[in-house]
Amino acid sequence: MNHRKAKIIFFSLLLLLLMQARLFARPEGRRQEEENRKSLQETEMKILQSERRVAFDSGGWVNYRYDDYNEDDNDSSVEDSYDYTNSLDVRFWFKAVLNAPFDSDYENKHSLYVRIKDLYINRRSEDTAEGYDHDGPHLDYAFLTMDFRPLWVVAGRYYFSLGEGITYSNVHDGAEFFLFSENWGVKAFLSYTQPNEYNIDTSIPGYEKNSDRIFFGTELAYKFGTDQQIYSYLLIQRDNSNEQPEDLSRDYSYNSEYAGLGAKGKMFNDLNYRAELIYETGTSCIFSTNEKSDISAWAGDFELLYNWQVKTHPSFYAEYAFASGDKDRVSVTDTQNGNLSGKDNNFLYFGYIDTGYALAPLLSNLHFFKVGLSFNPLENISLFKRSEFSLDYLRFYKDKKSGGIYDLDSTQSYYEIGDEIDVTFNWQIFSDLNVTLQYGHFMPGKAYAEPANDSEDYFSLSTHIVF
């Protein structure tokens, strides 16, 4: 069987699988979206190599994903809310590049990138019939890049981020300016949440219809030595969200500012490091009194990665991350069940950090430690030459033992949240066909009361085709 026939048969089987299922509405998780974004990153940022004055390219990406949770409420005596979820994510992209004239003495390139997303979701509940939802097609990315070296300007629907992306990283509408020299880099942006984007505060009436937030950010980076970089940034977030229907008795506004300082590079040989420390200020609202409360919160992320240049190419890594919590809060995201009095010490952010597969909590009111290993024991087998296994161990603690975390089942006033083991197998079968298996097993600690202290399992199968 040749390469082309294998891909056709594989893709046909995926379509047949999905034709058997009806779909149910459910927002796609942030972790899954980040994985998809990274898979598409090389394609979406591709600069066409062409001597033509105007060059065009287009393509697509298809992802089938199956997710299965067991005891997602950590209570084996209660039937799970759903059995499994599968989805078909289809994205088509187009890019046009205006190259410099062939005989010019400059190399400036201007480009337009557009991507359309169409998502079919299947969610099967344990105790109800299947249903379905079709989200799309809608505009995923659409941005214009203007090259005025050393200044670059990007405008449109684009992936904005600061630092390591914890404080803020998302696809929003806006404009960004980059100014680079040999060692220095400066960027600034103004962005807005997308229409109909879910609000991070789920206690706001109509949170699923509107999240009207504005972000202004700036970052300064300096490179030195062989592979060293330090950076700092500022972010201002302003909440203009409106309740739907309007709630005249309550104020839900959350306005915040962030200052970040970070560094990354090589310590020696193949040992890499990265570190970032973040401080948050601003104001939030006390739900019961409508009084304003000052925010004072911290977060940080520190990681070491060693790539050992021996057979199977193992990598060893260790990470510690934390974010402060508030002892009064039940919910780390919402105004209702939020801070009851005094300063709000809960760190609330608008970006992403990977906290594992099964528990997958937000970083707020959390300390987590991760150690792991990735390697390719099958590298001498041609079929599996581009495959990788990884094994991670994670340990979670609360910052404030009386405060809540993102998982509302963690109700006890103890620091120990629990342990998790994650296993991943990633296999690049062909240059345009990839399969990933993920498994996570979370074991609750003292912060979970009986009977909501049973282990939780997560499994997923994800495959994508690029064309």
Side-chain angles (χ1 to χ4, degrees):
M1 182 182 296
N2 61 33
H3 180 182
R4 180 177 177 83
K5 287 182 178 179
K7 288 191 290 184
I8 292 173
I9 292 173
F10 186 85
F11 185 53
S12 300
L13 289 173
L14 292 183
L15 292 177
L16 287 172
L17 274 172
L18 289 168
M19 288 173 65
Q20 303 303 313
R22 299 167 62 195
L23 304 175
F24 182 86
R26 178 175 181 260
E28 190 179 26
R30 179 65 191 266
R31 179 172 61 80
Q32 286 87 347
E33 183 60 23
E34 283 293 316
E35 290 171 359
N36 293 342
R37 183 187 65 80
K38 290 177 181 178
S39 172
L40 278 152
Q41 191 171 35
E42 183 176 348
T43 297
E44 68 191 18
M45 300 305 292
K46 180 182 177 183
I47 301 297
L48 303 179
Q49 301 300 316
S50 174
E51 294 183 355
R52 291 179 295 168
R53 180 75 167 114
V54 181
F56 301 94
D57 198 4
S58 61
W61 181 89
V62 179
N63 173 255
Y64 167 73
R65 186 180 189 99
Y66 172 85
D67 295 278
D68 193 316
Y69 283 92
N70 184 35
E71 308 304 342
D72 62 325
D73 56 1
N74 305 114
D75 188 349
S76 59
S77 65
V78 177
E79 192 170 41
D80 289 345
S81 58
Y82 71 92
D83 187 12
Y84 63 80
T85 298
N86 57 51
S87 62
L88 182 66
D89 188 341
V90 182
R91 308 196 193 192
F92 296 98
W93 61 270
F94 166 83
K95 189 165 189 175
V97 175
L98 178 64
N99 292 297
F102 181 72
D103 56 351
S104 66
D105 58 356
Y106 60 91
E107 299 178 352
N108 303 60
K109 294 182 179 182
H110 307 294
S111 64
L112 172 67
Y113 181 80
V114 178
R115 193 169 78 204
I116 305 298
K117 177 180 178 179
D118 201 15
L119 177 64
Y120 296 83
I121 308 172
N122 163 48
R123 184 187 182 193
R124 177 166 181 170
S125 300
E126 291 277 10
D127 55 354
T128 62
E130 298 176 25
Y132 74 90
D133 184 37
H134 177 201
D135 178 19
H138 62 75
L139 192 63
D140 189 20
Y141 276 25
F143 60 88
L144 179 67
T145 302
M146 292 165 281
D147 178 0
F148 306 114
R149 302 178 194 184
L151 174 68
W152 278 260
V153 180
V154 178
R157 183 160 295 175
Y158 178 69
Y159 186 82
F160 297 90
S161 67
L162 286 169
E164 295 297 324
I166 300 172
T167 301
Y168 174 67
S169 58
N170 215 331
V171 179
H172 283 156
D173 299 328
E176 187 165 63
F177 302 85
F178 303 85
L179 182 63
F180 291 107
S181 67
E182 184 177 353
N183 300 107
W184 291 90
V186 181
K187 74 175 179 180
F189 65 82
L190 179 67
S191 63
Y192 303 83
T193 50
Q194 293 187 38
N196 303 316
E197 181 176 327
Y198 274 50
N199 201 311
I200 195 170
D201 185 345
T202 61
S203 66
I204 298 177
Y207 75 92
E208 74 277 16
K209 303 174 184 177
N210 178 38
S211 176
D212 189 1
R213 297 180 188 270
I214 301 174
F215 301 88
F216 170 75
T218 182
E219 182 173 351
L220 173 66
Y222 175 67
K223 293 182 179 180
F224 62 96
T226 306
D227 292 295
Q228 309 294 327
Q229 178 179 310
I230 57 174
Y231 62 87
S232 62
Y233 63 80
L234 295 172
L235 176 71
I236 298 173
Q237 179 271 143
R238 290 295 176 260
D239 184 4
N240 297 315
S241 304
N242 295 313
E243 308 92 49
Q244 297 183 23
E246 186 176 3
D247 186 350
L248 297 176
S249 63
R250 293 283 182 267
D251 185 1
Y252 297 85
S253 61
Y254 187 93
N255 297 309
S256 52
E257 302 88 37
Y258 305 81
L261 180 65
K264 56 185 175 182
K266 281 189 176 182
M267 298 182 69
F268 55 85
N269 295 330
D270 296 310
L271 180 62
N272 299 275
Y273 73 92
R274 63 179 178 86
E276 183 170 308
L277 190 63
I278 312 158
Y279 179 60
E280 178 190 1
T281 62
T283 58
S284 63
C285 292
I286 297 174
F287 187 78
S288 59
T289 64
N290 266 349
E291 294 178 0
K292 296 291 185 181
S293 175
D294 290 334
I295 299 170
S296 180
W298 289 88
D301 184 31
F302 310 90
E303 183 178 25
L304 291 174
L305 168 65
Y306 180 69
N307 297 309
W308 197 6
Q309 302 303 323
V310 296
K311 190 176 181 180
T312 74
H313 294 86
S315 294
F316 304 90
Y317 43 89
E319 182 179 9
Y320 164 66
F322 78 94
S324 61
D326 190 275
K327 62 183 180 180
D328 296 331
R329 276 184 173 267
V330 174
S331 171
V332 297
T333 59
D334 296 356
T335 302
Q336 186 175 6
N337 295 320
N339 183 33
L340 298 180
S341 62
K343 282 189 177 181
D344 189 349
N345 299 123
N346 177 72
F347 184 83
L348 180 61
Y349 57 102
F350 296 88
Y352 172 78
I353 181 172
D354 185 2
T355 56
Y357 297 153
L359 182 62
L362 288 181
L363 192 59
S364 307
N365 195 31
L366 197 76
H367 294 255
F368 91 87
F369 303 84
K370 179 169 73 174
V371 292
L373 161 70
S374 65
F375 67 112
N376 182 7
L378 306 174
E379 65 179 10
N380 291 328
I381 302 175
S382 59
L383 182 62
F384 295 97
K385 188 174 183 179
R386 291 181 294 179
S387 64
E388 183 180 69
F389 289 90
S390 65
L391 175 65
D392 299 336
Y393 169 75
L394 301 94
R395 178 74 173 168
F396 301 97
Y397 293 91
K398 287 184 182 181
D399 180 60
K400 298 291 189 297
K401 66 179 182 179
S402 59
I405 63 170
Y406 187 65
D407 185 357
L408 297 179
D409 293 323
S410 176
T411 59
Q412 300 302 292
S413 186
Y414 288 99
Y415 288 112
E416 299 173 35
I417 296 173
D419 306 84
E420 180 167 325
I421 296 174
D422 291 343
V423 181
T424 308
F425 173 62
N426 186 67
W427 183 19
Q428 189 75 42
I429 304 175
F430 305 118
S431 61
D432 47 9
L433 176 61
N434 179 272
V435 173
T436 302
L437 297 173
Q438 298 174 336
Y439 171 74
H441 180 71
F442 173 65
M443 297 156 282
K446 292 182 178 180
Y448 289 80
E450 293 186 5
N453 60 351
D454 296 313
S455 295
E456 176 182 350
D457 292 288
Y458 167 82
F459 171 79
S460 77
L461 164 66
S462 176
T463 183
H464 66 259
I465 299 173
V466 178
F467 57 90

